[in-house]
Amino acid sequence: MRLHKLQKILEEKNLKCAIISNTASIFYLTGYDYISTDIGNFVALVYCDGVPTLIVPLLELYRAEEKIKDIDVVAYSTTFTGDKIIKGNLKDAIFSYVHQNKIGLDIQNTSSTFYNYFNKYEIVDLSKDLSLLRAIKEPEELELIKKAGEITSASMKIAQDKLTNSEVSEKQLAGIIDMTMRSEGAEDYAFPSIVAFGENSAFPHHVPTDKIIKDGQNAVIDIGARYNNYCFDSTRTFIKGNNLEIKKIYEIVLEAQIEAIDRARDGVKAAEVDLAARNIIEKSGYGKYFIHSTGHGVGIEVHEYPPVSPTSDAELKENMVITVEPGIYLKNKFGVRIEDTIIITKKKPIVLETTFKYL
Amino acid sequence: MRLHKLQKILEEKNLKCAIISNTASIFYLTGYDYISTDIGNFVALVYCDGVPTLIVPLLELYRAEEKIKDIDVVAYSTTFTGDKIIKGNLKDAIFSYVHQNKIGLDIQNTSSTFYNYFNKYEIVDLSKDLSLLRAIKEPEELELIKKAGEITSASMKIAQDKLTNSEVSEKQLAGIIDMTMRSEGAEDYAFPSIVAFGENSAFPHHVPTDKIIKDGQNAVIDIGARYNNYCFDSTRTFIKGNNLEIKKIYEIVLEAQIEAIDRARDGVKAAEVDLAARNIIEKSGYGKYFIHSTGHGVGIEVHEYPPVSPTSDAELKENMVITVEPGIYLKNKFGVRIEDTIIITKKKPIVLETTFKYL
């Protein structure tokens, strides 16, 4: 239970009430994981006058009670009444616990509908505080991310083997990878698996198709397991057979990635890590083809604080977990990306992906 | 290209400018599918003075251009300049196209950050219009949903077979299901597959664990393929071996489900369909254990308009696609849910899931 961390933030801001809507932050603070593919806000953690209350939709009441024992759980329902059920919607339920005019909200991750519940209140934004809090991982969190990394690495090795030894489509390979992640212990995927062959790999966020890999083509595999609610994020680029042009680009990306990892440590600006990778790629003449950030924080969410980009103002701290993933994308030809998830330390970072990345 | 449908909405509302942020609606209107697990808004369709412009992050520029040929695509980047690149963030890019003070927004699905971009503007909410538009499917959309249904049904049959013939954990079975969906042609899953054995099935939104099914236990399998960006949603409850208590509950849920499907047709209120299922379960004495809605619309999003709940004010129309999924959940014992995705017609609905549902 990490509620004392929230309490500390509220004290610093002279606040008596916070309403947390981001499900990842709710999990961080309480241990309750709400799974949804929907965009709106359906659960909330109300923490007013030192008393936490978790509010969930009725269909989640049993599961929430099972997950957390030390926080009051109530459900809202427009249809049902009963013990632990507040008649109404999420808004009605929240306001039955709020007796202040000034409240802390994690604005950055709320829906506009949710935000508008509070338009008569004085609002203090807690987004940045919660992001920073979650960015520096506790030892137990690092263990879970490591385990998610082992699962991901095992799946990556299976993918490499399949690419080498069989004719396989992007969708089929994504399926094999996903099944392996599950059978290795993942309860879900951190994000939809990206498997891109040949010219499709020029799209950083390609969606798998029926395309079958041909000899001399490359495959970009960007995958991550979710283990006990912690994410991993890893990319490997493989070449089936030989292709000197792809290999040349690969060596540039690899050098950029190693350089950036080398730069990453406690006290260094995230933007410097981005720059380390970007400089190598620019010097090679491919600067305009590296069209995204070098990385991002990873944890309960696959994309979280800190951003590792040219405009990031974040400073890396010990026990932050970030990705380092430079890439070069040549439209109508191919793309190359190499990504590791790493733990920041006071010295060299700990690289968690174990799949071999030298061609 | 369905932009003329948006044009018609704007004319009715005497609007000259709309900014669409919901990625499913952007796909519906343009054919560009933005994939993200992140909560914020990263893409926007600006449609002002009759001119559509799709704005994407730089890393998606190539892919967006590949997907759509008849709409201008521009990218935003804080780092890069160049042809088709607007220097700045999404907000900067949007405002370079907006020359009106009154704009239409799909408020319901935007993040609060995005919504706040427009706090100096007069805003007209388009959420409901877009939901209604997307709810009534065109023939091509129905074909894609049918195909997603075939993929899902094939996976469900594999799941049933595995349950009967082998010892398998929830995670392993979810993995087999997911791989089958991919190999049958799904580019992704409509939502994280739910596989729940025994007492875990009392949680409607259970997350797969290492639990292995035992003889006499049930399995609730709630899965859906995504095919060409269209979702499917299906649930079956299987019993491994025999269990008379589960069978009794199963028969009640099945009767409720059949009754609700029977009631669903053009011109009928969605709430009546919910009531049809709810009445059967209540009469059997299990009313308080049916803790969620009877269903929801399905399409580009797995949960979309119309809600099929006691408080829904929606009226069913021909070619809407909805789920019918009553359930009974007995804490510490088991749960039963049976769900079909159906097409509303003027007569009996078309049931798309083909997995046998009689025990």
Side-chain angles (χ1 to χ4, degrees), chain A residues 56-294:
Chain A
V56 301
L58 181 57
L59 86 164
E60 277 285 281
L61 180 58
Y62 297 166
R63 206 173 72 83
E65 286 179 330
E66 188 83 8
K67 292 271 172 183
I68 56 175
K69 303 292 179 194
D70 42 9
I71 292 177
D72 261 357
V73 181
V74 296
Y76 60 92
S77 170
T78 51
T79 315
F80 287 85
T81 50
D83 190 31
K84 296 194 177 180
I85 303 173
I86 294 171
K87 181 108 183 183
N89 55 28
L90 178 59
K91 182 183 175 183
D92 301 324
I94 289 172
F95 283 107
S96 69
Y97 290 94
V98 176
H99 309 288
Q100 289 82 2
N101 295 315
K102 188 179 169 188
I103 53 173
L105 269 189
D106 54 339
I107 294 177
Q108 224 166 61
N109 294 309
T110 57
S111 68
S112 62
T113 307
F114 189 88
Y115 181 72
N116 282 331
Y117 292 170
F118 306 97
N119 54 17
K120 288 183 182 150
Y121 287 72
E122 186 185 340
I123 293 174
V124 177
D125 189 11
L126 303 177
S127 312
K128 197 156 190 192
D129 306 87
L130 285 163
S131 296
L132 269 167
L133 195 60
R134 281 174 36 202
I136 297 168
K137 270 67 179 176
E138 297 176 0
E140 311 86 82
E141 295 184 282
L142 293 176
E143 286 310 311
L144 295 173
I145 293 170
K146 276 181 196 169
K147 174 70 182 166
E150 287 164 19
I151 294 168
T152 308
S153 298
S155 305
M156 193 67 92
K157 278 164 197 147
I158 298 275
Q160 183 174 24
D161 184 60
K162 285 282 163 196
L163 281 168
T164 312
N165 299 314
S166 60
E167 284 219 327
V168 71
S169 77
E170 290 171 348
K171 282 180 185 174
Q172 284 167 341
L173 189 57
I176 291 163
I177 289 166
D178 291 354
M179 188 180 71
T180 307
M181 286 200 274
R182 295 275 203 193
S183 69
E184 293 285 328
E187 81 264 11
D188 198 3
Y189 320 110
F191 55 91
S193 297
I194 297 172
V195 176
F197 297 161
E199 59 197 38
N200 288 346
S201 65
F203 309 134
H205 284 176
H206 177 66
V207 178
T209 69
D210 295 317
K211 185 184 175 80
I212 289 171
I213 193 161
K214 289 187 206 134
D215 207 56
Q217 279 186 331
N218 68 315
V220 171
I221 317 278
D222 186 349
I223 58 174
R226 181 184 290 275
Y227 180 75
N228 282 13
N229 290 293
Y230 281 83
C231 296
F232 200 79
D233 195 356
S234 169
T235 307
R236 286 293 180 264
T237 300
F238 302 111
I239 303 173
K240 190 174 174 77
N242 273 307
N243 185 314
L244 290 178
E245 190 187 1
I246 301 174
K247 202 171 172 187
K248 181 190 137 197
I249 298 295
Y250 189 96
E251 296 298 341
I252 298 166
V253 174
L254 182 60
E255 191 191 342
Q257 204 238 7
I258 289 169
E259 193 72 18
I261 290 175
D262 229 52
R263 194 69 54 91
R265 62 189 66 196
D266 182 276
V268 169
K269 292 267 181 204
E272 281 180 53
V273 174
D274 182 275
L275 193 65
R278 212 164 288 279
N279 276 343
I280 302 277
I281 293 176
E282 262 166 22
K283 264 191 283 179
S284 311
Y286 291 93
K288 64 183 275 210
Y289 304 104
F290 176 20
I291 51 178
H292 55 66
S293 304
T294 294

